[in-house]
Amino acid sequence: MLKFSENLGDGRFFRKEEAIEIVVQRVRNCKACPLHETRINPVPGEGSLDTPIIFVGEGPGEEEDRTGRPFVGKAGQMLNKLLKEVGLSRDKVYITNVVKCRPPGNRVPTNQEMAACSHFLMAQIQIINPKVIVALGSTALSFFLEKKVSITRMRGKLIDWLGGKVIFPTFHPSYLLRNRSTGPGSPYELALQDMKKVKELYDEYRKV
Ligand code: URA
């Protein structure tokens, strides 16, 4: 995996850390859509830049808006729990969202908001260059596949995407919080199966 430098396409080479910092600063200054008017803090993303796995959620919630960090509220605790169960941790992956500012009342971001923000996510993917993009929930999955898709039908499948990368859809952690059963075939059990697959993919690709 490319570790130290990234050609940003204009002849200059940046270390990944520098390139991501530019994206972070631009997210912080962004006023491209109405979400900037109601945000407290933008939430660019965080984690390892040398990871083969990036997690992409929908958009920041209340706690994320307050702290400027992704998945730190109740959904984040559920994500942490799943990661821990399979022997992964947040610092081994990168975590971000389709939109970087909280939609008021945690509504689903509009197509216009997602379009205005998408270049940040694309830049993050280009810089980090992960092999696997874990789409958390139907908003993230539909963003990547550019059509409305059912997460229930697609979860757990590897879907070829651009540049030799794969999309791996799974349930959004908030969905698991709303559907608390944990027995065989339950959303939690299926999400755990998916996370075990994520760990296998991590082990397979971190060596490359
Ligand atoms: N839900 C998301 O989709 N993203 C977060 O960062 C937190 C909750």
Side-chain angles (χ1 to χ4, degrees), residues 140-167:
L141 179 60
S142 302
F143 169 80
F144 286 112
L145 302 189
E146 298 181 78
K147 58 181 178 198
K148 266 251 148 297
V149 269
S150 152
I151 194 73
T152 309
R153 279 202 296 114
M154 300 299 280
R155 60 142 283 278
K157 296 184 178 31
L158 288 168
I159 304 161
D160 287 329
W161 196 61
L162 304 171
K165 302 183 194 315
V166 293
I167 306 291

PDB file of all heavy atoms in Angstrom, residues 140-167:
ATOM      1  N   ALA A 140     -25.377   5.588   2.716  1.00  0.00           N
ATOM      2  CA  ALA A 140     -24.004   5.478   2.213  1.00  0.00           C
ATOM      3  C   ALA A 140     -23.948   4.530   1.014  1.00  0.00           C
ATOM      4  O   ALA A 140     -23.308   4.833   0.002  1.00  0.00           O
ATOM      5  CB  ALA A 140     -23.074   4.993   3.328  1.00  0.00           C
ATOM      6  N   LEU A 141     -24.652   3.409   1.114  1.00  0.00           N
ATOM      7  CA  LEU A 141     -24.619   2.449   0.007  1.00  0.00           C
ATOM      8  C   LEU A 141     -25.204   3.070  -1.267  1.00  0.00           C
ATOM      9  O   LEU A 141     -24.613   2.957  -2.355  1.00  0.00           O
ATOM     10  CB  LEU A 141     -25.390   1.183   0.396  1.00  0.00           C
ATOM     11  CG  LEU A 141     -25.443   0.117  -0.694  1.00  0.00           C
ATOM     12  CD1 LEU A 141     -24.044  -0.357  -1.081  1.00  0.00           C
ATOM     13  CD2 LEU A 141     -26.303  -1.077  -0.258  1.00  0.00           C
ATOM     14  N   SER A 142     -26.336   3.741  -1.134  1.00  0.00           N
ATOM     15  CA  SER A 142     -26.978   4.360  -2.307  1.00  0.00           C
ATOM     16  C   SER A 142     -26.086   5.448  -2.900  1.00  0.00           C
ATOM     17  O   SER A 142     -26.047   5.641  -4.118  1.00  0.00           O
ATOM     18  CB  SER A 142     -28.327   4.965  -1.930  1.00  0.00           C
ATOM     19  OG  SER A 142     -29.162   3.974  -1.377  1.00  0.00           O
ATOM     20  N   PHE A 143     -25.345   6.151  -2.040  1.00  0.00           N
ATOM     21  CA  PHE A 143     -24.401   7.160  -2.536  1.00  0.00           C
ATOM     22  C   PHE A 143     -23.358   6.496  -3.445  1.00  0.00           C
ATOM     23  O   PHE A 143     -23.109   6.967  -4.560  1.00  0.00           O
ATOM     24  CB  PHE A 143     -23.714   7.858  -1.352  1.00  0.00           C
ATOM     25  CG  PHE A 143     -22.552   8.719  -1.773  1.00  0.00           C
ATOM     26  CD1 PHE A 143     -22.771   9.988  -2.285  1.00  0.00           C
ATOM     27  CD2 PHE A 143     -21.251   8.246  -1.700  1.00  0.00           C
ATOM     28  CE1 PHE A 143     -21.712  10.783  -2.705  1.00  0.00           C
ATOM     29  CE2 PHE A 143     -20.185   9.030  -2.119  1.00  0.00           C
ATOM     30  CZ  PHE A 143     -20.421  10.297  -2.621  1.00  0.00           C
ATOM     31  N   PHE A 144     -22.766   5.418  -2.989  1.00  0.00           N
ATOM     32  CA  PHE A 144     -21.700   4.792  -3.777  1.00  0.00           C
ATOM     33  C   PHE A 144     -22.233   4.141  -5.054  1.00  0.00           C
ATOM     34  O   PHE A 144     -21.575   4.163  -6.083  1.00  0.00           O
ATOM     35  CB  PHE A 144     -20.935   3.760  -2.942  1.00  0.00           C
ATOM     36  CG  PHE A 144     -20.030   4.392  -1.931  1.00  0.00           C
ATOM     37  CD1 PHE A 144     -20.273   4.288  -0.574  1.00  0.00           C
ATOM     38  CD2 PHE A 144     -18.917   5.132  -2.341  1.00  0.00           C
ATOM     39  CE1 PHE A 144     -19.444   4.897   0.361  1.00  0.00           C
ATOM     40  CE2 PHE A 144     -18.081   5.750  -1.418  1.00  0.00           C
ATOM     41  CZ  PHE A 144     -18.344   5.629  -0.066  1.00  0.00           C
ATOM     42  N   LEU A 145     -23.418   3.556  -4.976  1.00  0.00           N
ATOM     43  CA  LEU A 145     -23.952   2.843  -6.148  1.00  0.00           C
ATOM     44  C   LEU A 145     -24.779   3.757  -7.052  1.00  0.00           C
ATOM     45  O   LEU A 145     -25.214   3.351  -8.122  1.00  0.00           O
ATOM     46  CB  LEU A 145     -24.784   1.642  -5.708  1.00  0.00           C
ATOM     47  CG  LEU A 145     -24.041   0.605  -4.849  1.00  0.00           C
ATOM     48  CD1 LEU A 145     -24.897  -0.646  -4.658  1.00  0.00           C
ATOM     49  CD2 LEU A 145     -22.693   0.219  -5.446  1.00  0.00           C
ATOM     50  N   GLU A 146     -24.956   5.008  -6.608  1.00  0.00           N
ATOM     51  CA  GLU A 146     -25.692   6.013  -7.374  1.00  0.00           C
ATOM     52  C   GLU A 146     -27.098   5.585  -7.742  1.00  0.00           C
ATOM     53  O   GLU A 146     -27.606   5.893  -8.810  1.00  0.00           O
ATOM     54  CB  GLU A 146     -24.901   6.422  -8.630  1.00  0.00           C
ATOM     55  CG  GLU A 146     -23.565   7.058  -8.270  1.00  0.00           C
ATOM     56  CD  GLU A 146     -22.774   7.483  -9.492  1.00  0.00           C
ATOM     57  OE1 GLU A 146     -23.112   8.517 -10.057  1.00  0.00           O
ATOM     58  OE2 GLU A 146     -21.839   6.765  -9.854  1.00  0.00           O
ATOM     59  N   LYS A 147     -27.712   4.799  -6.872  1.00  0.00           N
ATOM     60  CA  LYS A 147     -29.148   4.467  -7.030  1.00  0.00           C
ATOM     61  C   LYS A 147     -29.667   4.008  -5.675  1.00  0.00           C
ATOM     62  O   LYS A 147     -28.892   3.569  -4.814  1.00  0.00           O
ATOM     63  CB  LYS A 147     -29.363   3.378  -8.082  1.00  0.00           C
ATOM     64  CG  LYS A 147     -28.637   2.101  -7.806  1.00  0.00           C
ATOM     65  CD  LYS A 147     -28.877   1.071  -8.911  1.00  0.00           C
ATOM     66  CE  LYS A 147     -28.063  -0.185  -8.582  1.00  0.00           C
ATOM     67  NZ  LYS A 147     -27.825  -1.097  -9.624  1.00  0.00           N
ATOM     68  N   LYS A 148     -30.972   4.095  -5.493  1.00  0.00           N
ATOM     69  CA  LYS A 148     -31.578   3.663  -4.216  1.00  0.00           C
ATOM     70  C   LYS A 148     -31.500   2.148  -4.128  1.00  0.00           C
ATOM     71  O   LYS A 148     -31.921   1.434  -5.046  1.00  0.00           O
ATOM     72  CB  LYS A 148     -33.054   4.091  -4.169  1.00  0.00           C
ATOM     73  CG  LYS A 148     -33.261   5.421  -3.487  1.00  0.00           C
ATOM     74  CD  LYS A 148     -33.939   5.235  -2.111  1.00  0.00           C
ATOM     75  CE  LYS A 148     -33.586   6.219  -1.034  1.00  0.00           C
ATOM     76  NZ  LYS A 148     -32.233   6.300  -0.571  1.00  0.00           N
ATOM     77  N   VAL A 149     -30.916   1.660  -3.048  1.00  0.00           N
ATOM     78  CA  VAL A 149     -30.795   0.212  -2.895  1.00  0.00           C
ATOM     79  C   VAL A 149     -31.200  -0.202  -1.483  1.00  0.00           C
ATOM     80  O   VAL A 149     -31.082   0.571  -0.542  1.00  0.00           O
ATOM     81  CB  VAL A 149     -29.356  -0.283  -3.166  1.00  0.00           C
ATOM     82  CG1 VAL A 149     -29.149  -0.645  -4.613  1.00  0.00           C
ATOM     83  CG2 VAL A 149     -28.331   0.723  -2.708  1.00  0.00           C
ATOM     84  N   SER A 150     -31.626  -1.451  -1.379  1.00  0.00           N
ATOM     85  CA  SER A 150     -32.059  -1.957  -0.072  1.00  0.00           C
ATOM     86  C   SER A 150     -30.865  -2.548   0.659  1.00  0.00           C
ATOM     87  O   SER A 150     -30.213  -3.476   0.169  1.00  0.00           O
ATOM     88  CB  SER A 150     -33.141  -3.026  -0.281  1.00  0.00           C
ATOM     89  OG  SER A 150     -33.124  -3.934   0.782  1.00  0.00           O
ATOM     90  N   ILE A 151     -30.595  -2.023   1.834  1.00  0.00           N
ATOM     91  CA  ILE A 151     -29.460  -2.517   2.615  1.00  0.00           C
ATOM     92  C   ILE A 151     -29.719  -3.959   3.059  1.00  0.00           C
ATOM     93  O   ILE A 151     -28.798  -4.781   3.127  1.00  0.00           O
ATOM     94  CB  ILE A 151     -29.170  -1.584   3.828  1.00  0.00           C
ATOM     95  CG1 ILE A 151     -27.809  -1.880   4.455  1.00  0.00           C
ATOM     96  CG2 ILE A 151     -30.254  -1.630   4.860  1.00  0.00           C
ATOM     97  CD1 ILE A 151     -26.648  -1.433   3.658  1.00  0.00           C
ATOM     98  N   THR A 152     -30.981  -4.288   3.305  1.00  0.00           N
ATOM     99  CA  THR A 152     -31.306  -5.640   3.768  1.00  0.00           C
ATOM    100  C   THR A 152     -30.960  -6.672   2.696  1.00  0.00           C
ATOM    101  O   THR A 152     -30.483  -7.761   3.004  1.00  0.00           O
ATOM    102  CB  THR A 152     -32.815  -5.717   4.114  1.00  0.00           C
ATOM    103  OG1 THR A 152     -33.103  -4.615   4.982  1.00  0.00           O
ATOM    104  CG2 THR A 152     -33.182  -6.998   4.820  1.00  0.00           C
ATOM    105  N   ARG A 153     -31.189  -6.310   1.438  1.00  0.00           N
ATOM    106  CA  ARG A 153     -30.881  -7.271   0.358  1.00  0.00           C
ATOM    107  C   ARG A 153     -29.392  -7.289   0.021  1.00  0.00           C
ATOM    108  O   ARG A 153     -28.853  -8.295  -0.425  1.00  0.00           O
ATOM    109  CB  ARG A 153     -31.704  -6.927  -0.905  1.00  0.00           C
ATOM    110  CG  ARG A 153     -33.114  -7.459  -0.819  1.00  0.00           C
ATOM    111  CD  ARG A 153     -33.761  -7.615  -2.182  1.00  0.00           C
ATOM    112  NE  ARG A 153     -33.918  -6.326  -2.849  1.00  0.00           N
ATOM    113  CZ  ARG A 153     -33.277  -5.991  -3.967  1.00  0.00           C
ATOM    114  NH1 ARG A 153     -32.468  -6.854  -4.556  1.00  0.00           N
ATOM    115  NH2 ARG A 153     -33.474  -4.806  -4.494  1.00  0.00           N
ATOM    116  N   MET A 154     -28.710  -6.162   0.210  1.00  0.00           N
ATOM    117  CA  MET A 154     -27.327  -6.044  -0.275  1.00  0.00           C
ATOM    118  C   MET A 154     -26.263  -6.334   0.790  1.00  0.00           C
ATOM    119  O   MET A 154     -25.105  -6.558   0.474  1.00  0.00           O
ATOM    120  CB  MET A 154     -27.081  -4.632  -0.824  1.00  0.00           C
ATOM    121  CG  MET A 154     -27.969  -4.241  -1.978  1.00  0.00           C
ATOM    122  SD  MET A 154     -27.729  -5.327  -3.384  1.00  0.00           S
ATOM    123  CE  MET A 154     -26.238  -4.637  -4.079  1.00  0.00           C
ATOM    124  N   ARG A 155     -26.654  -6.256   2.053  1.00  0.00           N
ATOM    125  CA  ARG A 155     -25.632  -6.347   3.113  1.00  0.00           C
ATOM    126  C   ARG A 155     -24.859  -7.679   3.022  1.00  0.00           C
ATOM    127  O   ARG A 155     -25.404  -8.698   2.596  1.00  0.00           O
ATOM    128  CB  ARG A 155     -26.241  -6.198   4.516  1.00  0.00           C
ATOM    129  CG  ARG A 155     -27.266  -7.216   4.894  1.00  0.00           C
ATOM    130  CD  ARG A 155     -27.182  -7.634   6.345  1.00  0.00           C
ATOM    131  NE  ARG A 155     -26.089  -8.545   6.555  1.00  0.00           N
ATOM    132  CZ  ARG A 155     -26.152  -9.854   6.306  1.00  0.00           C
ATOM    133  NH1 ARG A 155     -27.238 -10.415   5.797  1.00  0.00           N
ATOM    134  NH2 ARG A 155     -25.081 -10.604   6.536  1.00  0.00           N
ATOM    135  N   GLY A 156     -23.601  -7.589   3.387  1.00  0.00           N
ATOM    136  CA  GLY A 156     -22.780  -8.795   3.413  1.00  0.00           C
ATOM    137  C   GLY A 156     -22.244  -9.210   2.057  1.00  0.00           C
ATOM    138  O   GLY A 156     -21.567 -10.232   1.945  1.00  0.00           O
ATOM    139  N   LYS A 157     -22.549  -8.437   1.001  1.00  0.00           N
ATOM    140  CA  LYS A 157     -22.054  -8.777  -0.342  1.00  0.00           C
ATOM    141  C   LYS A 157     -20.908  -7.841  -0.706  1.00  0.00           C
ATOM    142  O   LYS A 157     -20.942  -6.662  -0.376  1.00  0.00           O
ATOM    143  CB  LYS A 157     -23.159  -8.598  -1.388  1.00  0.00           C
ATOM    144  CG  LYS A 157     -24.352  -9.506  -1.241  1.00  0.00           C
ATOM    145  CD  LYS A 157     -25.275  -9.251  -2.429  1.00  0.00           C
ATOM    146  CE  LYS A 157     -26.523 -10.069  -2.554  1.00  0.00           C
ATOM    147  NZ  LYS A 157     -27.250 -10.569  -1.472  1.00  0.00           N
ATOM    148  N   LEU A 158     -19.928  -8.365  -1.407  1.00  0.00           N
ATOM    149  CA  LEU A 158     -18.833  -7.521  -1.892  1.00  0.00           C
ATOM    150  C   LEU A 158     -19.204  -7.007  -3.274  1.00  0.00           C
ATOM    151  O   LEU A 158     -19.543  -7.793  -4.160  1.00  0.00           O
ATOM    152  CB  LEU A 158     -17.533  -8.320  -1.957  1.00  0.00           C
ATOM    153  CG  LEU A 158     -16.912  -8.656  -0.592  1.00  0.00           C
ATOM    154  CD1 LEU A 158     -15.807  -9.692  -0.748  1.00  0.00           C
ATOM    155  CD2 LEU A 158     -16.359  -7.400   0.076  1.00  0.00           C
ATOM    156  N   ILE A 159     -19.166  -5.705  -3.458  1.00  0.00           N
ATOM    157  CA  ILE A 159     -19.592  -5.106  -4.729  1.00  0.00           C
ATOM    158  C   ILE A 159     -18.399  -4.374  -5.339  1.00  0.00           C
ATOM    159  O   ILE A 159     -17.820  -3.475  -4.705  1.00  0.00           O
ATOM    160  CB  ILE A 159     -20.737  -4.097  -4.478  1.00  0.00           C
ATOM    161  CG1 ILE A 159     -21.904  -4.783  -3.747  1.00  0.00           C
ATOM    162  CG2 ILE A 159     -21.206  -3.468  -5.778  1.00  0.00           C
ATOM    163  CD1 ILE A 159     -22.850  -3.807  -3.072  1.00  0.00           C
ATOM    164  N   ASP A 160     -18.025  -4.763  -6.550  1.00  0.00           N
ATOM    165  CA  ASP A 160     -16.894  -4.091  -7.216  1.00  0.00           C
ATOM    166  C   ASP A 160     -17.213  -2.623  -7.421  1.00  0.00           C
ATOM    167  O   ASP A 160     -18.316  -2.271  -7.856  1.00  0.00           O
ATOM    168  CB  ASP A 160     -16.624  -4.734  -8.584  1.00  0.00           C
ATOM    169  CG  ASP A 160     -15.983  -6.097  -8.406  1.00  0.00           C
ATOM    170  OD1 ASP A 160     -15.243  -6.287  -7.417  1.00  0.00           O
ATOM    171  OD2 ASP A 160     -16.240  -6.987  -9.247  1.00  0.00           O
ATOM    172  N   TRP A 161     -16.225  -1.784  -7.153  1.00  0.00           N
ATOM    173  CA  TRP A 161     -16.403  -0.333  -7.326  1.00  0.00           C
ATOM    174  C   TRP A 161     -15.232   0.204  -8.138  1.00  0.00           C
ATOM    175  O   TRP A 161     -14.466  -0.553  -8.738  1.00  0.00           O
ATOM    176  CB  TRP A 161     -16.522   0.339  -5.940  1.00  0.00           C
ATOM    177  CG  TRP A 161     -17.060   1.729  -5.955  1.00  0.00           C
ATOM    178  CD1 TRP A 161     -18.298   2.128  -6.397  1.00  0.00           C
ATOM    179  CD2 TRP A 161     -16.388   2.906  -5.509  1.00  0.00           C
ATOM    180  NE1 TRP A 161     -18.426   3.485  -6.241  1.00  0.00           N
ATOM    181  CE2 TRP A 161     -17.271   3.986  -5.700  1.00  0.00           C
ATOM    182  CE3 TRP A 161     -15.129   3.146  -4.960  1.00  0.00           C
ATOM    183  CZ2 TRP A 161     -16.937   5.301  -5.378  1.00  0.00           C
ATOM    184  CZ3 TRP A 161     -14.792   4.447  -4.631  1.00  0.00           C
ATOM    185  CH2 TRP A 161     -15.691   5.513  -4.840  1.00  0.00           C
ATOM    186  N   LEU A 162     -15.031   1.493  -8.110  1.00  0.00           N
ATOM    187  CA  LEU A 162     -13.993   2.128  -8.922  1.00  0.00           C
ATOM    188  C   LEU A 162     -12.592   1.742  -8.434  1.00  0.00           C
ATOM    189  O   LEU A 162     -12.397   1.479  -7.253  1.00  0.00           O
ATOM    190  CB  LEU A 162     -14.131   3.648  -8.832  1.00  0.00           C
ATOM    191  CG  LEU A 162     -15.482   4.244  -9.228  1.00  0.00           C
ATOM    192  CD1 LEU A 162     -15.532   5.720  -8.886  1.00  0.00           C
ATOM    193  CD2 LEU A 162     -15.707   4.021 -10.711  1.00  0.00           C
ATOM    194  N   GLY A 163     -11.643   1.755  -9.339  1.00  0.00           N
ATOM    195  CA  GLY A 163     -10.228   1.631  -8.986  1.00  0.00           C
ATOM    196  C   GLY A 163      -9.873   0.356  -8.255  1.00  0.00           C
ATOM    197  O   GLY A 163      -8.970   0.359  -7.416  1.00  0.00           O
ATOM    198  N   GLY A 164     -10.590  -0.746  -8.557  1.00  0.00           N
ATOM    199  CA  GLY A 164     -10.273  -2.027  -7.920  1.00  0.00           C
ATOM    200  C   GLY A 164     -10.716  -2.111  -6.465  1.00  0.00           C
ATOM    201  O   GLY A 164     -10.368  -3.052  -5.761  1.00  0.00           O
ATOM    202  N   LYS A 165     -11.453  -1.121  -6.009  1.00  0.00           N
ATOM    203  CA  LYS A 165     -11.935  -1.160  -4.628  1.00  0.00           C
ATOM    204  C   LYS A 165     -13.277  -1.895  -4.564  1.00  0.00           C
ATOM    205  O   LYS A 165     -13.950  -2.035  -5.591  1.00  0.00           O
ATOM    206  CB  LYS A 165     -12.119   0.270  -4.089  1.00  0.00           C
ATOM    207  CG  LYS A 165     -10.848   1.077  -4.139  1.00  0.00           C
ATOM    208  CD  LYS A 165     -11.019   2.438  -3.539  1.00  0.00           C
ATOM    209  CE  LYS A 165      -9.862   3.338  -3.900  1.00  0.00           C
ATOM    210  NZ  LYS A 165      -8.539   2.734  -3.765  1.00  0.00           N
ATOM    211  N   VAL A 166     -13.610  -2.357  -3.370  1.00  0.00           N
ATOM    212  CA  VAL A 166     -14.920  -2.985  -3.209  1.00  0.00           C
ATOM    213  C   VAL A 166     -15.731  -2.250  -2.142  1.00  0.00           C
ATOM    214  O   VAL A 166     -15.179  -1.716  -1.192  1.00  0.00           O
ATOM    215  CB  VAL A 166     -14.836  -4.494  -2.839  1.00  0.00           C
ATOM    216  CG1 VAL A 166     -14.272  -5.318  -3.980  1.00  0.00           C
ATOM    217  CG2 VAL A 166     -14.054  -4.716  -1.563  1.00  0.00           C
ATOM    218  N   ILE A 167     -17.038  -2.241  -2.367  1.00  0.00           N
ATOM    219  CA  ILE A 167     -17.980  -1.708  -1.374  1.00  0.00           C
ATOM    220  C   ILE A 167     -18.520  -2.907  -0.599  1.00  0.00           C
ATOM    221  O   ILE A 167     -18.908  -3.921  -1.199  1.00  0.00           O
ATOM    222  CB  ILE A 167     -19.177  -0.999  -2.063  1.00  0.00           C
ATOM    223  CG1 ILE A 167     -18.721   0.083  -3.047  1.00  0.00           C
ATOM    224  CG2 ILE A 167     -20.140  -0.438  -1.016  1.00  0.00           C
ATOM    225  CD1 ILE A 167     -18.103   1.284  -2.450  1.00  0.00           C
TER     226      ILE A 167
END
